[in-house]
Amino acid sequence: QSALTQPRSVSGSPGQSVTISCTGTSSDVGGYNHVSWYQQHPGKAPKLVIYDVTQRPSGVPDRFSGSKSGNTASLTVSGLQAEDEADYYCCSYAGSYIYVFGTGTQVTVL
Amino acid sequence: QVQLVESGGGVVQPGRSLRVSCAASGFTFNTYTIHWVRQAPGRGLEWVALISYDGTKKSCADSVKGRFTISRDNSYNTVYLQMNSLGSEDTAIYFCARGSPPYSSSSLDYWGQGTLVTVSS
């Protein structure tokens, strides 16, 4: 149950796009389409922004999109806004009712 | 509206036990999986455990296996996490979260605000 690997930080100017990668193995990310992404502002609970690799929950702006290729999933935030500055975590099902989170990525809006 | 409220956190000595609770409201509790996720100070999220909607399926992370036990009481819309043999590495905010969709769980769609557990002598 090793944590999924994410870049420590990414940054972009308002209006630009940033992409966060989430690398696992064939036993988690590569083996299931149950990858989700969470946004967490300081001192707050995480918020679901993408589920099942590409699906957006109701109320999440369409600026957030997800994808997957092999053992790597990605979250793209387009049209970056100040309120997007937060920590982002991926999460994958790993079989046998086990889940694993990513190491987390800090997104900075320049 | 969906609400999850954790309670029971506090300061506990190393080697002792503590039980935290997650009280749910605003949805049909007995149709949803519930997860526990923790976050050590200044660190990332770590998945801890889950229990299926009917309590028949339980699982936990290797880091807590044999020490933590998850349970639920659907009559009281509450999930519990019994934590034994606590060590400093267990110091964290403990969040409960609802698994979605009903009867399954591919993501965690609603989260509580968390309860802080501090293991210290």
Side-chain angles (χ1 to χ4, degrees), chain A residues 1 97-100, chain B residues 36 38 46-50 59-68:
Chain A
Q1 296 173 11
Y97 302 100
I98 298 294
Y99 290 74
V100 59
Chain B
W36 284 100
R38 68 183 180 182
E46 179 187 14
W47 180 81
V48 174
L50 77 73
S59 63
C60 63
D62 286 345
S63 58
V64 305
K65 195 164 290 183
R67 300 188 299 121
F68 288 15

Side-chain angles (χ1 to χ4, degrees), chain A residues 33-38 48-58, chain B residues 100 106-108:
Chain A
N33 284 324
H34 293 327
V35 176
S36 50
W37 290 89
Y38 302 87
L48 177 67
V49 294
I50 292 288
Y51 67 96
D52 290 349
V53 180
T54 62
Q55 304 302 301
R56 264 181 299 105
S58 173
Chain B
S100 182
S106 69
S107 63
L108 289 64

Side-chain angles (χ1 to χ4, degrees), chain A residues 8-44:
Chain A
R8 197 172 193 89
S9 64
V10 299
S11 62
S13 300
Q16 288 188 329
S17 295
V18 295
T19 296
I20 303 167
S21 61
C22 169
T23 301
T25 69
S26 58
S27 297
D28 39 60
V29 174
Y32 305 93
N33 284 324
H34 293 327
V35 176
S36 50
W37 290 89
Y38 302 87
Q39 176 192 65
Q40 186 181 33
H41 288 107
K44 300 295 188 181

Side-chain angles (χ1 to χ4, degrees), chain A residues 56-78:
Chain A
R56 264 181 299 105
S58 173
V60 173
D62 60 6
R63 303 183 291 103
F64 291 84
S65 62
S67 63
K68 189 182 86 166
S69 177
N71 297 337
T72 299
S74 299
L75 173 72
T76 297
V77 186
S78 306

